[in-house]
Each structure stands twice: as structure tokens, then as C-alpha cells.
Amino acid sequence: MMSANSVLVLKVGGALLQNEAATLKLMSAIKEMGATGQKIVLVHGGGCLVDEQLAANDKQVSKLDGLRVTPSDQIGIVVGALAGTSNKMLQAAATKAGMVAVGMSLGDGNTVNATIKDPRLGLVGEVTPNDASYLSFILDQGWLPICSSIAISAAGDMLNVNADQAATALAKLVNGTLVLLSDVSGVWDANKQVIKSLNKHEIETLVAQGVIEKGMKVKVEAALEVAQWMGKPVLVASWQDTEQLKTLAQGGSVGTQIQP
Ligand SMILES: Nc1ncnc2c1ncn2[C@@H]1O[C@H](COP(=O)(O)OP(=O)(O)O)[C@@H](O)[C@H]1O
Ligand SMILES: CC(=O)N[C@@H](CCC(=O)OP(=O)(O)O)C(=O)O
């Protein structure tokens, strides 16, 4: 499914960061893909690290429809966990795997436009693609951009963006192929069997039935939006599954295909 010269936008969920072996495996798969000339943008979450840091600071965790409510007294902790610890852990793993990595955030280089999504969510951002110059520069050097989902609004607010939605904006920006890697092998049906392919109607039905919920609902809806925008499928697969990574590295299709 990967078209020639298309940039691969690979998003990994935060649970990866709690698994050193899986992180190293992912980095070697990325290195293998890069060696064939494939340009890759790595986007990451870190929701579990944010949870840990909020708890350590006696802050309450609250989510609305899969998105973290982020009051102003929590944004510093969120930024530290995502743009700091998570981003640098991945940069360190990429460096260890022998790649040149640039740790960045959505807020860098005019890459996206960011606004407050919904006042009920506090400092949560909605982002749209803006300027690909910075990413293109990094990719043209043969380096690996590793992007956290912290954005900055025109008014100068630091904003917490769901990382699947961050990956969506970057995939649109570079007209890339989007792959969302999570801790599950794909989207499950009611019997927890991975569904090979899903279209808009099937997604709406499964969401209405409560079979697709929480973080997966956000993910699948982000994937559908990009699939429709680009007229090509988006993959939801696992970073845990070495076979899936191998197939992916060879340009194959794995997990669940979200159809336009
Ligand atoms: N139908 C479904 N198929 C797969 N996972 C689902 C489904 N519904 C809810 N989930 C949950 O969504 C989680 C993945 O979303 P999330 O935790 O946000 O991932 P990530 O941090 O990788 O972005 C899975 O671990 C699972 O618990
Ligand atoms: C607004 C919002 O929900 N932001 C997310 C950003 C991190 C994220 O999305 O991490 P995963 O990919 O690991 O889930 C959060 O604070 O958890």
C-alpha cells in the first residue's frame, strides 16, 4: 500500500515507551525501512506517562470521549511528559539504533496551526497542517523527525493534542501514508477478533454499539478522516507484533485497514 516516494507517517502509542525491547525492535524496523530510501516521520503519544506524572503530582486525571481534560495547572506536567521524557526516550532509542534523530513538537517551525478545541477540555489543541518546510528539511538530511503532540497556539498557549490527531495533521501536511501503531493488533469486533477492513458505515455501527470505544474511537475516527482526505487507506496495527513490523517494513498491509 505504500506508494513510491510517499512519506510514511508512523504514530506509536505511549505504552510502547514502557517496553524497551519493543522500542528497540521498532527502531530497527524504522532503520531498515529508512535504508531503502523510505522517508519516515515518527509521531508519538505518551498518555500512560502523563497519567503517571499527574498521579505523582496529586492531580486528577479526567477524560472526555477519549481526550484528556487539561486544566492550566496540569499543562506543565503534560508538556514535560510528552515533549520531554517521551520524546527524548524515543530519540535516545533511535540514536542507539544508529539513526540521526531530531526530537521536535507540533509547535516547532510553523508546522501546524493550533487552536483550543473545546473550552470544556481546557488546554487541548486542534491542529491543522500549515508549513512542511521544517519537516522537509529534516527528511532531506536523511534524519528521523520524532514529533510529540504538544502544540502552541498563536496566542502563545501550550496545547495538549491527542497524538493520533497530531499524526493526522502531519500525514496531511506531507501527503503521506499514515500508520497508527498501538498496543493491539488492530481494531477488534465484539469477539475481540481483529477486523481486516473497515469503512465509514461499519465504523459508525461499531461505535454506536460500543464495540469501538475510548482511545480506539479517537484513533479510528482520526484514521477515517485521513483516509477520506487522501483517498487511500490508513492502517491501525501493533508495535508489539514483530511480524506486523516486518510486513510493514516490506511495504505490506497489516492490522486493520480503514478505508476511505
Ligand atoms: N474495538 C476495539 N479494538 C481494539 N481496541 C479497542 C477497541 N475498543 C477500545 N479499545 C481500546 O483502545 C486501546 C487503544 O487506544 P489507546 O489506548 O488510545 O492507544 P494508543 O495509546 O496506542 O494510542 C486498546 O488498548 C483497547 O483497550
Ligand atoms: C488531548 C489528549 O488526550 N492528549 C493525549 C496526548 C498523548 C496521547 O495521545 O498518547 P497516546 O497516543 O499514548 O494515547 C494525552 O494527554 O494523553
Side-chain angles (χ1 to χ4, degrees), residues 120-218:
R120 288 176 307 163
L121 293 169
L123 293 168
V124 166
E126 175 148 298
V127 287
T128 52
N130 185 24
D131 183 348
S133 310
Y134 184 54
L135 269 181
S136 299
F137 174 78
I138 298 167
L139 292 171
D140 285 347
Q141 314 308 307
W143 297 342
L144 175 70
I146 302 180
C147 190
S148 83
S149 63
I150 295 300
I152 297 177
S153 71
D157 283 319
M158 294 186 286
L159 297 177
N160 177 14
V161 178
N162 167 273
D164 294 317
Q165 295 173 353
T168 303
L170 296 185
K172 287 179 180 173
L173 180 68
V174 298
N175 196 20
T177 299
L178 179 62
V179 177
L180 300 171
L181 296 178
S182 183
D183 56 347
V184 287
S185 315
V187 185
W188 302 322
D189 62 18
N191 300 315
K192 298 216 163 174
Q193 299 298 308
V194 172
I195 305 165
K196 285 256 178 241
S197 171
L198 279 175
N199 63 27
K200 183 173 191 285
H201 174 70
E202 291 162 332
I203 290 168
E204 282 168 359
T205 306
L206 290 169
V207 167
Q209 291 169 344
V211 173
I212 299 177
E213 56 169 4
K214 298 184 182 157
M216 189 52 79
K217 176 173 179 278
V218 176

Side-chain angles (χ1 to χ4, degrees), residues 11-14 45-47 50 63 66-68 78 82 124 149 160-163:
K11 185 266 172 173
V12 292
V50 175
K63 291 204 172 181
L67 298 177
R68 184 183 310 279
V78 173
L82 296 177
V124 166
S149 63
N160 177 14
V161 178
N162 167 273

